[in-house]
Amino acid sequence: NLIFIASLLLGTTITISSNHWITAWMGLEINTLAILPLISKSHHPRAIEAATKYFLTQAAASALVLFSSMTNAWCTGQWDITQLTHPTSCLILTSAVAMKLGLVPFHFWFPEVLQGSPLTTGLLLSTLMKLPPITLLYMTSPSLNPTLLTTLAIFSAALGGWMGLNQTQIRKILAFSSISHLGWMAIIIIYNPKLTLLNFYLYTMMTAAVFLTLNTIKVLK
């Protein structure tokens, strides 16, 4: 467990502190590989299914991040994260980060993965694992596709609220709550990126409080 938690922190730190697309991608991959054993720790078929879904989605999103940065480097000669200027690269990156975060319509994996994970791993998935994609959004916010991001964000905020009303399982309610919150963050980031970070910190604190309380009172659903 210590190795996996250390790897998670290392991957997050690498992505947050990188200027080059390749190092950011490496951090995302380390994160993905470190969380997989924590998801599938219980060896229950549902946990194995959750780990598989998580791996496939995150691998596809990481491939898109790499593809967008390569397209940008091919056209502009720049590998710097803040120098993403090619329109196609911006479009692909917006989709890739939306898939990493679990924004609508790339949200299908998140409730299923959270439902199949232990509560402590669910806490990591909802907070620490969202930090690298949010950081990428923050660093590339001037060059993201605003129309696509706003559309995804509005749908996420709306669908997260509606689908959450329809659930009986606590972890799925928390998953849809997370999707809704991330939708609001994605809308704010276009206009005021620092406000998004404040929103993310508040969201992390509230989510951690809920997950730790549920873990303390041994909620199993």
Side-chain angles (χ1 to χ4, degrees):
N1 274 5
L2 187 64
I3 292 170
F4 298 136
I5 298 291
S7 301
L8 271 179
L9 293 172
L10 175 70
T12 305
T13 311
I14 288 173
T15 303
I16 289 171
S17 57
S18 59
N19 286 323
H20 198 285
W21 275 112
I22 297 292
T23 47
W25 172 78
M26 274 168 51
L28 291 171
E29 286 299 310
I30 291 169
N31 255 3
T32 302
L33 294 174
I35 196 89
L36 287 174
L38 296 176
I39 297 173
S40 57
K41 191 165 59 174
S42 62
H43 299 297
H44 190 273
R46 188 183 278 270
I48 305 299
E49 182 192 340
T52 309
K53 282 179 179 172
Y54 185 78
F55 173 71
L56 291 174
T57 314
Q58 297 299 312
S62 294
L64 280 176
V65 167
L66 205 55
F67 182 60
S68 75
S69 55
M70 282 171 65
T71 311
N72 190 62
W74 183 274
C75 298
T76 64
Q78 285 284 352
W79 279 101
D80 197 311
I81 287 181
T82 53
Q83 301 293 320
L84 195 78
T85 50
H86 196 262
T88 312
S89 300
C90 297
L91 197 69
I92 296 169
L93 183 79
T94 309
S95 306
V97 175
M99 194 185 284
K100 278 248 170 233
L101 285 171
L103 294 178
V104 175
F106 309 110
H107 69 289
F108 296 106
W109 63 272
F110 190 51
E112 299 296 325
V113 170
L114 213 61
Q115 186 59 33
S117 311
L119 275 170
T120 42
T121 309
L123 170 60
L124 288 174
L125 281 169
S126 301
T127 54
L128 188 66
M129 298 303 288
K130 301 288 183 200
L131 186 55
I134 284 280
T135 311
L136 283 181
L137 266 185
Y138 179 76
M139 288 193 286
T140 57
S141 55
S143 54
L144 290 171
N145 187 303
T147 315
L148 178 63
L149 195 59
T150 308
T151 309
L152 297 181
I154 290 169
F155 279 123
S156 297
L159 197 116
W162 285 330
M163 295 290 281
L165 291 172
N166 200 26
Q167 299 300 324
T168 53
Q169 293 160 315
I170 286 171
R171 272 176 282 192
K172 281 198 174 173
I173 294 172
L174 288 168
F176 284 114
S177 159
S178 177
I179 290 166
S180 186
H181 279 295
L182 289 164
W184 288 114
M185 285 182 229
I187 286 182
I188 299 165
I189 206 157
I190 302 164
Y191 306 103
N192 193 338
K194 285 186 178 170
L195 200 57
T196 294
L197 287 187
L198 176 63
N199 191 340
F200 181 73
Y201 298 146
L202 290 171
Y203 156 78
T204 303
M205 279 163 36
M206 289 190 299
T207 308
V210 172
F211 270 100
L212 292 172
T213 307
L214 293 174
N215 198 37
T216 308
I217 61 174
K218 299 284 186 291
V219 171
L220 296 174
K221 268 215 165 189

